[in-house]
Amino acid sequence: MLRLIQLELQKLWLNKASRVLIIISFILPFTVLILSSIKINFFGFFTLELGELGIFNFPIIWHITTFFAAQFKFFFAIVVVSMIGNEYSNKTLKQNLIDGLSKKEFILSKFYTIVFFSLCATVLIGLATFAIGMYYSSYTEASIIFREVDFLLAYFLKLVGFFSLCLFLGMLVKRSAFALGFLFILFISESIIYGLMKWLIDGNIADKIHDFFPLQSMWNLIEQPIQRIIMTKFPDNTDMVYDFSLHWYEIAIVLGWTAIFVFLSLQLLKKRDL
C-alpha cells in the first residue's frame, strides 16, 4: 500500500497544476481560522466579533468547522479527476501496466491516495478546530470538548466518498473537464428526480429514497449547522426540530457507494482497450 501511495504522490508532485491544487485544497479549509477572528465594526458604535458569539464553543464547533471545510472539497476533486486524465493523456497508465503494475493495483493506488489525502485533511481540520475551541470556548471539560468529535469521522467519510465518485467519473470519461461536467449533471439530476418524487409520491417516502442518492447521502453526513445555531440562540422555540447527529445508516450508505465507485472504476479499466 505504501509503495502505491508513494508512486501516486510522485506523479502528483511532479505535475505543477496538481501541486498547486493540492496546496490550495489544504489551505482553503483553514479560512475558518480567519472567520473566527473577524471583527465587524458597526459605524463606531460597537464591534461584533464572531468568536464571541458562542459559535466556536465546544461541542458545536466540531459541527461548524467540518461543515464549512467540506465545501472546499471541489479543489481536490479536480486533482482526482486529473489523476486519471493525465494517465491517459501522458500514456503513463499503459506504461505502468507494462512495468508490472496490475489493473487492480492501479485503481487501488488512486483509492489509497484518496484515503491518504482525506485523512491528512481530517487531521488538520481536527487540530485547527481544537485550537479554535480551546481559545474561544467557555467549556473546558473533556466530556464536552470531545462530545461531538464524530463529526471528524463524518468529514473523513464525506471526502473519501466524494473523491471515490470523482475517481469513477474520471475513469468513465477519461477527461477532467468532462468528468467535472458529469458531476454537475449528477447534482442537477438528483435534484430533478427528487422534485419529481415529491410531486408524484408521498413526501416522506421521497425524502427516504432521496437519502440513498450518492451526493445527498454524502451531504447527510454533516447537516448544515445554521439551524442548530439558531436553536442555541432561541432555546425556547420548541417548534424547531432538527436532527444533526451522525447515524450508522448514513455511514453505511456512503461506505456502500464508495465501494461501488471503486468496484466500477476497476471494472471499467478491466474492460477498456488500452
Side-chain angles (χ1 to χ4, degrees):
M1 182 174 67
L2 292 177
R3 177 179 64 88
L4 296 177
I5 294 176
Q6 186 178 21
L7 177 65
E8 287 303 316
L9 292 179
Q10 279 184 326
K11 292 180 187 177
L12 291 173
W13 199 251
L14 290 174
N15 185 293
K16 184 177 180 180
S18 295
R19 188 164 64 244
V20 171
L21 286 170
I22 289 172
I23 294 173
I24 291 175
S25 65
F26 276 114
I27 291 176
L28 280 182
F30 285 93
T31 53
V32 70
L33 291 170
I34 301 175
L35 182 67
S36 68
S37 62
I38 288 179
K39 296 181 180 180
I40 305 173
N41 190 296
F42 288 89
F43 308 105
F45 292 103
F46 67 94
T47 300
L48 175 65
E49 185 174 357
L50 296 181
E52 300 297 333
L53 292 178
I55 62 174
F56 296 118
N57 272 333
F58 289 117
I60 192 176
I61 187 174
W62 298 108
H63 187 179
I64 293 173
T65 55
T66 52
F67 175 81
F68 285 106
Q71 309 313 308
F72 297 104
K73 61 184 180 294
F74 183 76
F75 288 94
F76 191 69
I78 300 175
V79 177
V80 174
V81 295
S82 297
M83 282 196 303
I84 305 301
N86 292 338
E87 294 285 2
Y88 281 99
S89 60
N90 298 332
K91 308 295 183 182
T92 50
L93 190 158
K94 191 172 183 179
Q95 186 60 49
N96 284 336
L97 297 178
I98 293 174
D99 292 339
L101 196 70
S102 69
K103 292 183 177 181
K104 180 180 179 180
E105 287 178 321
F106 177 83
I107 294 298
L108 286 178
S109 69
K110 307 299 182 185
F111 179 67
Y112 290 154
T113 303
I114 286 172
V115 173
F116 173 75
F117 276 108
S118 299
L119 183 60
C120 289
T122 302
V123 170
L124 291 174
I125 288 300
L127 292 174
T129 302
F130 183 77
I132 297 172
M134 291 303 292
Y135 183 80
Y136 284 106
S137 180
S138 54
Y139 305 105
T140 56
E141 298 86 351
S143 59
I144 296 178
I145 290 175
F146 298 107
R147 180 182 298 169
E148 296 180 12
V149 74
D150 57 343
F151 275 107
L152 288 179
L153 173 63
Y155 178 71
F156 171 73
L157 295 176
K158 188 170 189 172
L159 294 186
V160 172
F162 183 73
F163 297 147
S164 296
L165 169 59
C166 294
L167 171 63
F168 167 66
L169 293 177
M171 289 300 304
L172 183 65
V173 296
K174 299 188 294 185
R175 293 290 185 275
S176 302
F178 290 150
L180 295 173
F182 266 70
L183 185 62
F184 179 74
I185 291 173
L186 177 61
F187 171 75
I188 297 298
S189 299
E190 285 194 10
S191 300
I192 293 174
I193 294 172
Y194 175 58
L196 289 174
M197 288 192 303
K198 292 278 282 188
W199 179 49
L200 295 173
I201 61 178
D202 180 74
N204 290 329
I205 297 177
D207 289 340
K208 292 183 183 300
I209 296 175
H210 190 217
D211 288 340
F212 283 89
F213 288 9
L215 293 177
Q216 182 62 31
S217 66
M218 297 170 197
W219 171 270
N220 290 341
L221 288 174
I222 308 178
E223 297 282 359
Q224 53 82 15
I226 306 301
Q227 191 171 345
R228 182 181 179 185
I229 294 173
I230 295 174
M231 289 172 64
T232 60
K233 297 303 177 184
F234 303 97
D236 296 331
N237 190 344
T238 56
D239 295 331
M240 298 182 69
V241 179
Y242 179 49
D243 182 13
F244 55 83
S245 301
L246 177 64
H247 300 285
W248 69 267
Y249 53 84
E250 295 170 336
I251 294 175
I253 294 172
V254 173
L255 288 177
W257 278 117
T258 301
I260 290 172
F261 293 141
V262 175
F263 174 77
L264 291 178
S265 299
L266 178 58
Q267 294 307 307
L268 282 173
L269 183 59
K270 285 182 176 180
K271 295 179 179 179
R272 185 160 288 163
D273 184 13
L274 302 177

